[in-house]
Amino acid sequence: MSKLVRECKERLMNAAPRQVPLPSQGQQGGSSTNSSYEMSYPAYTQAPITSIGGKKRKSAAGSVEKAFQNSAREQCDGEVARMFYTGGLSFNLARNPHYRNSYIRASTLPGYIPPGYNALRTTLLAKERKNIEHHLKPIKLTWKDKGVSLCSDGWSDSQRRPLINVIATCESGPMMLKAINCEGEFKDYALIADLIIDSIKEVGWEHVVQVVTDNAPVCSKAGALIASKYPTIFWTPCVVHTLNLAVKNICTPSLVPSNADVFEACCWIQPVSEDVMFIKNFIMNHGMRLVMFNDHCNLKLLSVAPTRFASTLIMLKRFRQIKNGLQQMVISPKWDDYKEDDVRKAASVKEKLLDELLWDDIDYILSFTEPIYDMIRKADTDRPSLHLVYEWWDSMIEKVKKAIYRKERKQHDQESPFWDAVYKILMSRWSKSNTPLHCLAYSLNPKYYSSEWLSEDTNRVAPHKDLEITRERKNCILRYFANEDDRRRVNIEFANFSMCMQEFGSGDAMKDRFIMEPITWWAVHGASAPSLQAIAFKVLGQPCSSSCCERNWSTYNFIYSVRRNKIAPQRAEDLVFVHTNLRLLARRSPNYNESATQMWDVGGDEFDSLVLEDLRLLTSHLMNHN
């Protein structure tokens, strides 16, 4: 009986679930005395024993291993690696300075146990948000002199709850203020205006320069309400949204009586984009065709969401890049031998890809829309660019005209129905998005008064000689200075600035107009015009788009994902607040571009250290150049 009981116990012990051992050097078990794996798997890392002169002693390698605890280090590395593997964590997390610092601090605390589930989601999260709000105060103090823009946008989370976020941004970078849950509310212009006004009161109305939203009619009405309550705050439509709508009007014109001439001139573009989408779907929707495509093309076919800016142009650009691979695919024997699917569609795809007229149309579309796409890329940033919008629009329209007339082989004084239609769309969008604030910022940029800039194009004139800009600038000055005497003093200061009189006529002040950044120039040479200098500091440091809101929704979607859709809205807002603003503070640190964790929040696993170094140098070069 004792024998049977003993055998039964042994079978139960052998059948009990055991943890998988950690890998170690030479496929040997670990020797950590605290490891739970040592109970089930014997340790074979004991140092070998040698005999010299009849005396046994441990080898030198064993002594070094004991001194440096190599086996324990391997066990710890294995545990950390398993945390990444089992938690589905990105390898890019290993470059996160907070990840590295946590282990450094824990190594100095014997017996330290990391915080648990409840502490992470409650007390520690609340403490971290309060701590970040404290560290954001120095940035908020600069808003008094530099001014700030409030950007707002709407979004729906994975549970279809409507959210509206508010981002405060200036030359220091975007700072998330809050994300409001509007569940059960009717999102009309009054609600949007009230939410933004609450944020204005929180920031301080005297610090806010503009409110940037998209171009929806409800946002336009909300902006009018805000401007009526605060005359010095302007509602500015997002330039990127405006350009995106212009691209849609050109590529997919609507057939309405008031738009008949535009539709007649631009209706040929939509069939081209539809053919490209047909070919893309035919290839992507079947495994065998996709294999043939991958054999001939190094780049992938993009599945661009319709909500992305200039989605049609992005798709056409990628299609043009893989033209040779697509044509080689359809003329290969595999394409003709594959008969398991719709032969008629396959023949149609082959015919379209080998039709040079289709590729000529694609080249033409990309040529005249390239200036618009380039402006979208330049405006889709958090950097100060409000003072550049007016000149961007002028140069962009001129480049579009040159591309169209070059294709049609016409002189600039000849008529072009297609150009007239495109010009009508662009000017319609410009008239709806142009505000007096754009003209004021353009007027205060010293570069546009320099002889170097004016000599680049014979058609250029200084801002104070342009009637439209002068009229809008006066409207801004009138809203900023209601008192007639104050307004007259500011106008005299502007006259001295624009005509290079008094202190503005010194040699250094005139030479630096073309070289220095606008804000830097005003800080160095603008002391003789204190009122105008204060306006320049606030206006020249503002963005022209609400792109920071779009990126904030990407962060929100990253945190509040389908797998974590049970997070309460308030906790999700706290997580996004900490995530966004902690990165803002990290990027202002001098170690952000220098330490081993440089640019840790850029890219992901596809970025290695060399790519990040090239990206850092390129970013620094572009910032210095601009």
Side-chain angles (χ1 to χ4, degrees):
M1 290 296 294
S2 299
K3 181 180 179 181
L4 291 174
V5 171
R6 191 165 52 251
E7 292 176 352
C8 182
K9 289 181 178 180
E10 291 178 356
R11 286 196 299 270
L12 290 175
M13 290 180 61
N14 293 331
R18 292 180 294 180
Q19 294 180 340
V20 180
L22 289 167
S24 61
Q25 186 176 7
Q27 300 295 326
Q28 295 173 345
S31 61
S32 175
T33 58
N34 295 328
S35 175
S36 60
Y37 311 107
E38 189 179 13
M39 297 176 60
S40 302
Y41 292 84
Y44 297 99
T45 56
Q46 184 178 1
I49 298 176
T50 58
S51 176
I52 300 179
K55 296 182 179 180
K56 296 182 179 180
R57 69 174 183 87
K58 294 183 178 180
S59 66
S63 301
V64 172
E65 179 179 348
K66 183 178 179 180
F68 288 96
Q69 297 181 336
N70 292 338
S71 298
R73 292 176 183 272
E74 287 185 8
Q75 295 283 323
C76 188
D77 289 344
E79 293 284 4
V80 173
R82 283 187 174 178
M83 177 184 67
F84 277 79
Y85 307 151
T86 58
L89 302 178
S90 170
F91 297 134
N92 191 53
L93 177 63
R95 297 175 48 247
N96 191 309
H98 308 293
Y99 158 81
R100 299 168 66 92
N101 293 337
S102 64
Y103 282 89
I104 295 174
R105 293 181 182 273
S107 64
T108 62
L109 300 173
Y112 171 78
I113 298 177
Y117 169 78
N118 288 322
L120 285 171
R121 63 197 290 267
T122 55
T123 56
L124 290 178
L125 179 59
K127 181 187 289 188
E128 182 63 24
R129 172 157 187 165
K130 186 176 181 179
N131 177 59
I132 290 177
E133 289 175 346
H134 172 72
H135 286 283
L136 291 174
K137 288 181 179 179
I139 300 178
K140 294 181 179 180
L141 292 176
T142 64
W143 293 347
K144 179 180 179 181
D145 297 325
K146 297 181 179 180
V148 65
S149 298
L150 291 184
C151 303
S152 181
D153 191 27
W155 185 67
S156 297
D157 62 16
S158 58
Q159 293 195 8
R160 309 303 299 170
R161 280 192 290 255
L163 303 174
I164 296 178
N165 66 354
V166 181
I167 308 291
T169 179
C170 61
E171 57 88 23
S172 299
M175 178 191 302
M176 179 184 174
L177 296 181
K178 53 186 167 182
I180 304 102
N181 180 15
C182 300
E183 189 175 15
E185 301 283 350
F186 182 67
K187 291 200 300 182
D188 59 353
Y189 67 93
L191 175 66
I192 296 175
D194 290 340
L195 295 177
I196 296 178
I197 288 174
D198 291 340
S199 300
I200 291 174
K201 293 178 180 178
E202 177 184 343
V203 172
W205 66 268
E206 64 277 6
H207 304 155
V208 180
V209 177
Q210 62 176 348
V211 173
V212 186
T213 65
D214 59 24
N215 301 24
V218 65
C219 294
S220 176
K221 292 182 179 180
L225 281 179
I226 296 170
S228 63
K229 186 175 179 63
Y230 301 103
T232 59
I233 298 178
F234 294 83
W235 173 71
T236 307
C238 175
V239 174
V240 179
H241 280 90
T242 301
L243 293 171
N244 185 56
L245 293 175
V247 172
K248 287 185 177 180
N249 294 148
I250 294 173
C251 296
T252 56
S254 57
L255 182 57
V256 292
S258 61
N259 200 43
D261 54 341
V262 173
F263 180 83
E264 182 180 358
C266 302
C267 63
W268 62 274
I269 300 178
Q270 187 171 358
V272 176
S273 61
E274 290 175 350
D275 287 343
V276 171
M277 291 299 297
F278 166 72
I279 295 172
K280 188 208 78 165
N281 293 333
F282 184 76
I283 295 174
M284 297 286 289
N285 291 344
H286 198 283
M288 294 301 297
R289 292 192 293 266
L290 188 59
V291 169
M292 284 187 280
F293 169 80
N294 292 331
D295 290 340
H296 292 86
C297 299
N298 295 327
L299 299 175
K300 303 297 181 183
L301 277 170
L302 297 177
S303 297
V304 185
T307 55
R308 185 173 179 180
F309 296 134
S311 58
T312 302
L313 302 184
I314 294 174
M315 187 66 208
L316 293 178
K317 288 172 70 71
R318 174 53 59 90
F319 211 70
R320 184 63 183 82
Q321 290 174 336
I322 58 177
K323 172 187 175 182
N324 294 333
L326 290 172
Q327 290 183 336
Q328 292 174 5
M329 176 187 68
V330 295
I331 64 176
S332 65
K334 290 184 178 180
W335 186 267
D336 294 331
D337 294 341
Y338 186 66
K339 303 295 184 181
E340 296 183 11
D341 202 8
D342 196 330
V343 178
R344 181 181 59 82
K345 288 185 178 180
S348 176
V349 168
K350 181 177 181 179
E351 180 183 359
K352 292 179 184 297
L353 289 176
L354 298 179
D355 185 6
E356 289 300 324
L357 294 179
L358 174 65
W359 294 106
D360 289 343
D361 289 340
I362 293 176
D363 291 339
Y364 184 29
I365 295 171
L366 293 177
S367 65
F368 77 82
T369 57
E370 183 179 4
I372 307 176
Y373 183 74
D374 290 342
M375 185 175 172
I376 291 177
R377 294 290 301 273
K378 289 189 292 185
D380 190 13
T381 178
D382 301 323
R383 295 179 56 244
S385 55
L386 185 69
H387 56 286
L388 304 173
V389 172
Y390 200 97
E391 194 244 336
W392 283 350
W393 270 97
D394 278 350
S395 60
M396 181 267 291
I397 291 176
E398 189 63 28
K399 290 177 183 178
V400 172
K401 182 178 180 180
K402 287 182 179 179
I404 293 176
Y405 273 68
R406 187 186 304 114
K407 175 66 176 180
E408 296 181 353
R409 299 181 182 277
K410 292 183 177 180
Q411 300 297 324
H412 280 262
D413 56 348
Q414 293 179 313
E415 292 291 332
S416 171
F418 181 62
W419 161 244
D420 292 340
V422 174
Y423 181 75
K424 180 180 178 180
I425 293 173
L426 295 177
M427 290 307 298
S428 174
R429 290 298 172 186
W430 166 244
S431 62
K432 292 179 180 179
S433 65
N434 182 30
T435 66
L437 197 63
H438 288 128
C439 298
L440 177 63
Y442 179 78
S443 299
L444 294 178
N445 190 345
K447 175 183 177 181
Y448 299 139
Y449 298 88
S450 63
S451 58
E452 294 88 346
W453 184 80
L454 293 172
S455 62
E456 290 178 359
D457 191 338
T458 56
N459 296 324
R460 288 178 176 174
V461 295
H464 67 288
K465 296 181 180 180
D466 189 294
L467 179 60
E468 177 187 0
I469 296 174
T470 301
R471 186 184 300 116
E472 298 298 335
R473 185 192 70 246
K474 289 182 178 179
N475 291 335
C476 278
I477 298 297
L478 183 62
R479 291 176 63 172
Y480 277 121
F481 300 94
N483 184 273
E484 185 177 354
D485 294 335
D486 296 339
R487 191 162 60 251
R488 184 179 296 107
R489 183 177 65 255
V490 173
N491 287 330
I492 293 174
E493 292 178 356
F494 180 79
N496 294 333
F497 158 69
S498 59
M499 297 299 295
C500 300
M501 296 187 299
Q502 296 185 6
E503 296 295 329
F504 295 106
S506 65
D508 288 343
M510 296 181 66
K511 291 179 181 179
D512 292 342
R513 286 179 181 247
F514 187 74
I515 301 173
M516 283 187 175
E517 286 291 320
I519 295 181
T520 306
W521 187 92
W522 275 102
V524 175
H525 304 291
S528 61
S531 299
L532 199 64
Q533 185 188 50
I535 298 177
F537 284 158
K538 290 188 175 182
V539 172
L540 296 177
Q542 308 307 318
C544 66
S545 69
S546 58
S547 303
C548 55
C549 293
E550 301 288 345
R551 282 183 279 276
N552 186 252
W553 291 136
S554 299
T555 303
Y556 211 104
N557 191 46
F558 168 72
I559 292 176
Y560 195 82
S561 61
V562 177
R563 296 179 60 186
R564 305 176 70 186
N565 60 3
K566 296 299 183 182
I567 300 178
Q570 182 57 49
R571 182 167 292 124
E573 180 189 351
D574 292 341
L575 287 169
V576 176
F577 180 91
V578 170
H579 183 98
T580 302
N581 293 332
L582 195 58
R583 292 191 173 205
L584 169 64
L585 295 172
R587 291 176 180 180
R588 295 170 59 85
S589 171
N591 297 328
Y592 179 72
N593 291 322
E594 299 175 0
S595 63
T597 58
Q598 61 175 343
M599 303 182 72
W600 57 271
D601 58 342
V602 177
D605 294 341
E606 69 274 12
F607 283 81
D608 57 21
S609 58
L610 295 177
V611 174
L612 286 169
E613 178 65 18
D614 294 340
L615 180 61
R616 184 183 66 82
L617 294 175
L618 177 61
T619 303
S620 176
H621 171 74
L622 292 176
M623 292 181 66
N624 294 332
H625 177 72
N626 292 333

